[in-house]
Amino acid sequence: MSDPNGLIQPGRIAPGFTVPATPDGGLTGPEQFRGRPVVLAFYPADWSPVCGDQMALYQSAAPVFAQYQAVVLGVSVDSIWSHRAFAESRGIEFPLLADFEPKGEVARQYGAYQPRGEAARALVVLDPAGTVSWSHLSPPDVNPGADGIFDALDQLAADRKVTVG
Amino acid sequence: MTTPLQVTARLRDPVSTADHIRGPADAAVTVVEYGDFQCQFCGAAYPNLHELLRQRADTVRLVYRYFPIANVHPYAERAAETAEAAGVRGRFWEMHDWLYEHQDQLDPVHLSLGVEQVGLPPDELNAEVENRTHADRVRRDFVGGIRSGVNGTPTLFINGVRHDGGYDLPDLLAATDAAADA
């Protein structure tokens, strides 16, 4: 399916990468979580009001993500230092990835980079083998919530049952 | 599987007798609020929702569901479970109102005073909160909300459709009047 915005589409192999992440700055990327669904939540920036709500919301939903054994990774072009302060202020325990140097390289690989120098507000769900199973682009000022993510995770779980069964 | 840019989130858990409902059972318009007692935006919406129910007493009812964002609001879960403890004693709305009218007093000591003001036994309610007696109910509301597209607090669903407009009284009157005419 063509997408004028260029966001990575279902069926594609997710590009591999590692970048520094909270809490300790360790290099982190989706390939470390093979065998589990991975949710990449690209967002424009730490501290902008809508983002705060979106990442804080995903933290509050951690028990639901855990039911799917899903890993949530937040990604923006902010530095690890900004991410750390932001995570601390919002109680965010899942990794926030610093797509900082070269700036926005990860977001570009996923078609989630915006010319104004920030990541788009984009959600990408990877299946346990690292293939994109769902992606969604929101307007920058709209918090997409998590319902689309959980629908995608439900679909993955259903597909897996069919494959195994 | 790709989602178009604009998706209208819809309420997935229908309103039932297990809900906390204020207003006429046969109201043409049902407003479901997912709220966090420690959230300032919910606190700001509270008097407007109150006034909405007063001005549209025959047509609008309000359903309140818990959506504590505990990592940002350390007292929100405890407040929600206290409200539920009041709810099983038939005093949900009194407790709900006290919480929103005393958002700067949600620490355990002041909360106990609030429970007493509502006319309930603080020690009894406190024990239930400590034992997490009502945690499942609060969690159930939360999960239903997140599956329905709640993306922050407050989130309102008006006749099952997420209200993405404002929470000032004119916004709420316009949105509920439109739903009543639909």
Side-chain angles (χ1 to χ4, degrees):
Chain A
M1 195 173 166
S2 70
D3 186 331
N5 302 296
L7 180 63
I8 194 166
Q9 292 295 296
R12 290 265 312 275
I13 304 292
F17 65 88
T18 57
V19 292
T22 56
D24 56 7
L27 291 175
T28 304
E31 289 148 300
Q32 290 157 8
F33 304 101
R34 286 287 183 269
R36 299 169 66 183
V38 173
V39 179
L40 294 174
F42 291 93
Y43 62 103
D46 292 339
W47 307 112
S48 77
V50 180
C51 311
D53 284 341
Q54 188 188 354
M55 294 301 123
L57 180 76
Y58 293 170
Q59 178 61 44
S60 70
V64 190
F65 284 112
Q67 285 172 7
Y68 295 91
Q69 299 191 309
V71 176
V72 180
L73 305 175
V75 188
S76 80
V77 298
D78 295 285
S79 74
I80 187 72
W81 307 108
S82 175
H83 273 342
R84 270 189 192 158
F86 180 60
E88 196 169 320
S89 86
R90 303 290 197 275
I92 295 166
E93 294 171 9
F94 61 84
L96 297 179
L97 277 54
D99 189 13
F100 182 69
E101 178 59 36
K103 185 186 171 192
E105 190 178 44
V106 174
R108 286 175 215 268
Q109 285 179 325
Y110 281 79
Y113 192 72
Q114 294 195 314
R116 67 161 187 264
E118 295 175 339
R121 196 176 296 284
L123 297 169
V124 181
V125 173
L126 314 184
D127 72 13
T131 302
V132 175
S133 71
W134 178 77
S135 64
H136 173 77
L137 185 70
S138 295
D141 58 342
V142 174
N143 177 345
D147 50 321
I149 299 173
F150 290 121
D151 287 348
L153 293 173
D154 273 342
Q155 187 64 46
L156 274 182
D159 292 349
R160 214 173 340 172
K161 258 180 214 150
V162 172
T163 316
V164 175
Chain B
M1 186 170 45
T2 307
T3 308
L5 204 58
Q6 296 296 335
V7 186
T8 307
R10 285 186 167 272
L11 187 69
R12 299 200 194 178
D13 286 355
V15 174
S16 80
T17 52
D19 274 305
H20 301 298
I21 306 174
R22 182 180 246 176
D26 61 349
V29 180
T30 299
V31 177
V32 175
E33 175 184 12
Y34 281 90
D36 171 323
F37 288 113
Q38 206 185 339
C39 158
Q40 54 173 320
F41 304 103
C42 300
Y46 162 74
N48 302 335
L49 288 163
H50 221 86
E51 185 60 17
L52 172 72
L53 290 184
R54 198 186 68 78
Q55 291 191 20
R56 295 290 183 272
D58 298 329
T59 49
V60 177
R61 64 176 180 158
L62 177 66
V63 173
Y64 189 88
R65 290 178 176 171
Y66 308 110
F67 201 85
I69 302 185
N71 43 302
V72 182
H73 300 137
Y75 298 134
E77 248 170 359
R78 196 183 176 90
E81 291 176 31
T82 301
E84 186 55 26
V88 299
R89 292 165 174 82
R91 306 293 284 277
F92 171 80
W93 289 104
E94 290 91 330
M95 196 71 236
H96 163 279
D97 291 356
W98 188 92
L99 290 164
Y100 278 125
E101 286 163 17
H102 301 80
Q103 280 194 301
D104 57 344
Q105 299 173 39
L106 300 184
D107 60 282
V109 172
H110 286 95
L111 184 57
S112 283
L113 294 174
V115 170
E116 214 170 330
Q117 281 177 34
V118 169
L120 293 168
D123 291 347
E124 226 176 280
L125 268 68
N126 196 37
E128 288 179 15
V129 171
E130 291 297 325
N131 293 330
R132 308 302 306 269
T133 307
H134 305 293
D136 282 353
R137 163 58 191 265
V138 172
R139 174 71 16 203
R140 206 161 56 237
D141 276 6
F142 181 93
V143 172
I146 199 123
R147 294 303 309 244
S148 298
V150 170
N151 59 359
T153 52
T155 291
L156 305 182
F157 292 85
I158 298 178
N159 280 355
V161 179
R162 192 175 69 195
H163 170 69
D164 289 332
Y167 304 108
D168 290 341
L169 184 59
D171 295 322
L172 295 173
L173 285 168
T176 51
D177 287 351
D181 293 338

